[in-house]
Amino acid sequence: MSLYEIPITHLSGIGEKKAALFKKLGVNTVGDMIEYYPRAYDNWSDTTPIGELVGGQTAVIRAKVATPVNNIRISGGRMMAKLSVCDDSGYLSLVFFNNKYISSMLRYGEEYLFMGKVAEDKFGLQMTSPEFSSAATSDAVTPVYNLTAGLSNRVMIKAAKEALGMLPEVIRDPLPYDILRHYDLCTLSYALQNIHFPSDLDAMERARRRLVFEELLVLNLGMRLMKRQSKEHTAVRMTTDYTAEFIDKLPFTLTGAQQRAIADCVSDMRDKPSPMNRLIQGDVGSGKTAVCAALCYHTVRNGYQAAFMAPTDILARQHYETFTKMFAGTDIRLELLTGSMTAAEKRKTRARIESGESDIVIGTHALLSESTVFSALGCAITDEQHRFGVAQRARLASKGEHPHVLVLSATPIPRTLGLIIYGDLDITIIDELPPGRSEVQTYFIGTDKRDRALGFIKKQVDEGRQAYIVCPLVEEGEGETPLENANDYAAELMLGVFRDYPVGILHGKMKPKEKDAVMAQFANNEISILVATTVVEVGVDVKNATVMMIENAERFGLSTLHQLRGRVGRGEYQSYCILISDNRGENTEQRLGTMCRTNNGFEIADMDLKLRGPGDFFGNRQHGLPELSIADFSDTETLAQSQEAAEKLLAISPDLSHDGMRALRAKIRRLFKETENTMN
Ligand code: ADP
Ligand code: MG
């Protein structure tokens, strides 16, 4: 039996109650625990003499228990344990709360290592609830795990130790030996042991590099296998190019980049034996929707249905309206399918899709449901692909007999990541904006200048324009100040500066119908100022909006800020982005400074990666890849090595069917299966 099948309750001291807590951390099995790597390490070898401690510092001391533990009952029935410890240089008081075992764990006269924050009051220095371990048996480096309420680091350490003890003597290393040797990697058992309980920091580094390498390799191989599989199918051939007759009807002339994107896709759909599998990457406002419309038209004229999936209700409805205008005067039948429609509406719509009465279906995740059946899906398009997982992309495609697949993205991914993230896709880049756009002018100001900024917005609105004001939070009480709260903020504006202007509110907790109503009002200029959370981040297109003001701008990632800014400057008017923050930390200055300096999405993405680190690429799920447990894309050297290794292995066995690669295959399955489960 595999360790991934043994429930965590198998470990001693973990019953159903604790297991529920482990589950919160994603740890369900013994195998999961082994792969639940520490977030950080405590280095216990770096001790400070008590006499040199200063208040506020976090330190490790090596000290003997100098007094018996004194248990005191304090208010609320709580317990406090107090004692003194000493080394050659002085005495220190320790305080623990609600731990009745302290007196049995810390023995008078014995020596321990204590780690904690030193506080100073009028009675001298003390540590409250320090971590500790016996000086005689203590490890030099101990793991620090991400925790959840009710689970202590101590419990995690014990679980990890026991789980590691259950590893079979010889575990099957998924990496072939020559790969280990060639890239100077340690073995799996060494890596697992030392990632949790390293003998020193060098051993930890070695373990980490090996595990990162393996995870990136597995990801890489998975993406490549997916690409390979899609190439094995025969494509629906669309032999005649109908795009020109559609393009002629558009109210504008396509840019060269838009034309090239269409040509790439038409050629994929006509000339290749396997289905198209392409990403179109174009900065916000580059006109990806028109490209899709042309391809949908092309698909329908060739006798098939097209599906166009968007991540939010608002966006799906907006696309539906755009398409309705573009397809006016044709006999093409459009359909909208979103989760917010009534059950009866959905049923009728699905019936039309299944019978082939609908030609182009625009919708949200509702398209993915089992009850959505197409009669002849020829082309599946996913907008804002980073909002969807790899598995969801595949699910939309599975609604047809290997239809052509197109995904769209405005989130620029640093080039170094592109290959792995889009390993399964061919790529077209739209590197040109429609003519007549002037760059959005961006300013970074403190809250002391907010009134001036609001005055500026007023002037713009008086000239007939509209504005967005974004604040990070919605609910009452969520913010530290009222200004961080969209509802309160809007109320304040409505009663104050903008009392004579129509102000609207938009946030993620509203019902889809309410959101739509507000968006429609904004699109019709019945609302001049829209106070919103980041729900406006995705794709919304209102050409008349010229100001995007963002409160607490330091809280957003650069990619999000760039997306938000992309909501303005979409028409003929000069547009402005105002970033408000009182945070003058170096990092904030640099990040917001970057926004002011450039409108180039790639440059911004590179800077984001450099300044915030890759954690945020994972945190925000900016990529739709499976969640990784240890790897991090900023390690470009290991990334490149893992790519090289993936190619080597596939050269030996193109589908990894070779017997020696069985463990690797299992790893790939696990990584991608988890995506399917967590992406919803
Ligand atoms: P995105 O690439 O961000 O999805 P959209 O497709 O929403 O961008 O297009 C942004 C705006 O530009 C839309 O209002 C669209 O009508 C307009 N547009 C697209 N292509 C052109 C073009 N070639 N010339 C002028 N305007 C265009
Ligand atoms: Mg778009």
Side-chain angles (χ1 to χ4, degrees):
M1 190 147 88
S2 124
L3 289 176
Y4 298 103
E5 287 160 19
I6 303 179
I8 190 80
T9 47
H10 185 88
L11 301 180
S12 61
I14 300 179
E16 291 304 330
K17 236 167 139 186
K18 278 233 171 74
L21 298 175
F22 275 92
K23 191 176 172 165
K24 279 197 197 161
L25 302 173
V27 177
N28 297 307
T29 66
V30 172
D32 292 342
M33 186 64 229
I34 290 174
E35 283 185 12
Y36 194 75
Y37 305 130
R39 161 178 69 81
Y41 299 86
D42 283 334
N43 187 354
W44 294 83
S45 58
D46 188 12
T47 57
T48 309
I50 290 176
E52 290 173 21
L53 292 176
V54 289
Q57 157 191 33
T58 297
V60 180
I61 57 167
R62 173 185 280 269
K64 290 198 170 109
V65 176
T67 62
V69 176
N70 186 11
N71 281 313
I72 308 161
R73 197 162 283 285
I74 53 172
S75 63
R78 300 202 307 153
M79 293 280 294
M80 181 168 86
K82 272 190 93 163
L83 65 149
S84 289
V85 295
C86 66
D87 64 11
D88 292 344
S89 66
Y91 280 79
L92 181 71
S93 313
L94 303 184
V95 181
F96 295 86
F97 290 101
N98 281 336
N99 190 338
K100 54 184 182 224
Y101 302 112
I102 289 296
S103 45
S104 60
M105 290 193 281
L106 291 178
R107 293 178 180 279
Y108 179 70
E110 293 204 0
E111 193 175 42
Y112 299 87
L113 294 170
F114 298 92
M115 179 183 301
K117 192 159 177 185
V118 183
E120 185 165 22
D121 62 15
K122 56 182 190 262
F123 302 112
L125 296 177
Q126 63 175 42
M127 268 188 191
T128 303
S129 304
E131 298 271 328
F132 59 88
S133 65
S134 156
T137 59
S138 170
D139 294 324
V141 182
T142 57
V144 179
Y145 296 94
N146 273 326
L147 303 174
T148 184
L151 276 188
S152 69
N153 202 47
R154 215 166 255 280
V155 171
M156 298 300 289
I157 288 180
K158 191 163 159 284
K161 278 214 166 110
E162 203 180 329
L164 283 169
M166 288 173 64
L167 283 178
E169 287 302 295
V170 190
I171 47 173
R172 205 182 232 281
D173 195 325
L175 298 185
Y177 180 67
D178 67 313
I179 296 264
L180 290 190
R181 208 187 38 194
H182 188 266
Y183 295 102
D184 186 29
L185 301 168
C186 65
T187 63
L188 181 59
S189 50
Y190 178 93
L192 293 175
Q193 193 62 47
N194 283 282
I195 198 72
H196 289 280
F197 303 106
S199 45
D200 55 40
L201 291 175
D202 284 344
M204 186 276 287
E205 266 316 319
R206 219 172 134 61
R208 167 179 290 279
R209 192 171 85 82
R210 138 86 209 211
L211 294 169
V212 167
F213 182 98
E214 179 183 314
E215 193 162 43
L216 290 175
L217 177 69
V218 165
L219 180 63
N220 229 304
L221 285 170
M223 298 303 278
R224 281 165 201 256
L225 284 181
M226 220 174 319
K227 182 169 191 166
R228 207 186 117 81
Q229 271 162 12
S230 78
K231 293 253 188 268
E232 278 167 4
H233 302 299
T234 359
V236 162
R237 286 286 178 100
M238 300 195 183
T239 43
T240 316
D241 181 357
Y242 288 99
T243 54
E245 60 182 63
F246 179 80
I247 292 169
D248 285 346
K249 285 196 255 217
L250 286 174
F252 42 73
T253 313
L254 291 185
T255 63
Q258 283 172 313
Q259 290 172 23
R260 281 193 297 278
I262 292 174
D264 281 352
C265 296
V266 167
S267 135
D268 283 353
M269 294 158 109
R270 180 184 53 209
D271 306 330
K272 302 242 172 88
S274 56
M276 165 166 82
N277 201 21
R278 185 170 288 278
L279 164 77
I280 294 184
Q281 183 161 68
D283 212 342
V284 282
S286 59
K288 295 182 289 294
T289 317
V291 169
C292 293
L295 294 167
C296 287
Y297 182 88
H298 177 68
T299 302
V300 175
R301 284 286 174 259
N302 273 286
Y304 292 91
Q305 290 171 304
F308 189 13
M309 179 168 71
T312 62
D313 249 80
I314 293 181
L315 198 53
R317 277 172 202 270
Q318 183 186 287
H319 283 330
Y320 179 73
E321 275 158 31
T322 308
F323 273 44
T324 303
K325 281 185 210 134
M326 287 180 175
F327 286 86
T330 71
D331 57 352
I332 289 179
R333 295 158 300 183
L334 301 178
E335 205 73 73
L336 178 68
L337 182 66
T338 70
S340 67
M341 290 162 50
T342 66
E345 282 171 333
K346 278 188 266 195
R347 196 161 356 98
K348 284 187 200 148
T349 305
R350 287 189 168 121
R352 288 194 296 271
I353 299 172
E354 183 160 6
S355 69
E357 285 166 72
S358 330
D359 297 313
I360 301 175
V361 187
I362 298 165
T364 55
H365 294 79
L367 292 176
L368 300 177
S369 117
E370 232 159 75
S371 49
T372 311
V373 179
F374 286 81
S375 68
L377 182 62
C379 182
I381 307 179
T382 306
D383 194 14
E384 308 286 344
Q385 69 81 32
H386 64 283
R387 295 290 179 115
F388 296 95
V390 181
Q392 287 178 320
R393 228 150 74 185
R395 187 138 23 116
L396 183 62
S398 74
K399 300 275 171 193
E401 292 281 325
H402 311 302
H404 296 291
V405 169
L406 182 63
V407 300
L408 309 181
S409 176
T411 301
I413 298 289
R415 282 168 222 285
T416 45
L417 302 189
L419 193 58
I420 190 161
I421 291 179
Y422 300 127
D424 63 329
L425 299 168
D426 299 313
I427 301 179
T428 294
I429 292 178
I430 299 188
D431 53 1
E432 192 181 345
L433 293 182
R437 301 271 175 86
S438 47
E439 293 226 321
V440 178
Q441 287 177 20
T442 304
Y443 303 93
F444 168 27
I445 61 172
T447 48
D448 54 328
K449 300 238 172 62
R450 180 189 288 126
D451 285 342
R452 275 178 60 186
L454 292 173
F456 176 75
I457 290 179
K458 211 172 186 173
K459 245 175 76 196
Q460 287 281 310
V461 172
D462 287 338
E463 286 170 24
R465 303 288 81 75
Q466 288 163 278
Y468 299 94
I469 301 181
V470 170
C471 19
L473 300 169
V474 210
E475 259 192 326
E476 215 178 318
E478 268 188 65
E480 287 144 28
T481 70
L483 283 183
E484 291 168 6
N485 171 319
N487 278 327
D488 289 358
Y489 195 125
E492 200 173 308
L493 294 180
M494 283 178 199
L495 299 172
V497 252
F498 295 127
R499 69 186 158 271
D500 298 327
Y501 297 78
V503 177
I505 306 177
L506 188 73
H507 58 73
K509 294 199 174 150
M510 288 161 61
K511 298 214 177 70
K513 284 235 155 72
E514 298 169 345
K515 282 193 260 181
D516 286 341
V518 171
M519 253 348 275
Q521 283 178 304
F522 190 65
N524 296 331
N525 201 356
E526 288 157 27
I527 289 174
S528 299
I529 297 133
L530 186 61
V531 178
T533 56
T534 49
V535 286
V536 293
E537 177 197 342
V538 172
V540 172
D541 185 39
V542 178
K543 289 193 175 67
N544 191 47
T546 53
V547 187
M548 167 61 70
M549 176 164 127
I550 304 171
E551 291 281 352
N552 294 105
E554 80 283 355
R555 294 201 185 181
F556 297 104
L558 285 186
S559 296
T560 301
L561 288 175
H562 183 62
Q563 291 284 319
L564 284 170
R565 179 168 61 182
R567 299 307 111 219
V568 297
R570 300 174 77 84
E572 62 198 282
Y573 309 107
Q574 175 59 52
S575 295
Y576 308 87
C577 176
I578 304 170
L579 306 170
I580 302 192
S581 173
D582 281 335
N583 185 323
R584 286 291 176 280
E586 191 187 339
N587 191 280
T588 302
E589 294 261 2
Q590 247 182 319
R591 285 170 357 98
L592 301 186
T594 302
M595 290 297 296
C596 298
R597 203 182 62 244
T598 178
N599 273 276
N600 180 321
F602 277 106
E603 206 176 306
I604 289 170
D606 274 332
M607 194 53 133
D608 206 14
L609 190 68
K610 217 176 279 158
L611 293 178
R612 294 215 308 173
D616 289 297
F617 269 93
F618 296 111
N620 295 341
R621 310 299 297 266
Q622 289 283 7
H623 45 60
L625 285 178
E627 200 151 11
L628 303 178
S629 49
I630 190 165
D632 114 11
F633 289 139
S634 68
D635 186 350
T636 47
E637 195 184 336
T638 311
L639 190 61
Q641 288 176 344
S642 74
Q643 264 155 19
E644 189 187 274
E647 273 155 33
K648 263 192 211 169
L649 291 173
L650 290 173
I652 299 169
S653 177
D655 54 359
L656 298 186
S657 61
H658 191 284
D659 206 40
M661 298 180 192
R662 190 184 303 167
L664 254 183
R665 280 202 311 274
K667 285 251 159 189
I668 294 170
R669 261 199 312 277
R670 278 220 353 271
L671 186 66
F672 283 83
K673 189 170 106 237
E674 278 166 19
T675 330
E676 181 111 49
N677 295 339
T678 55
M679 284 287 184
N680 267 314

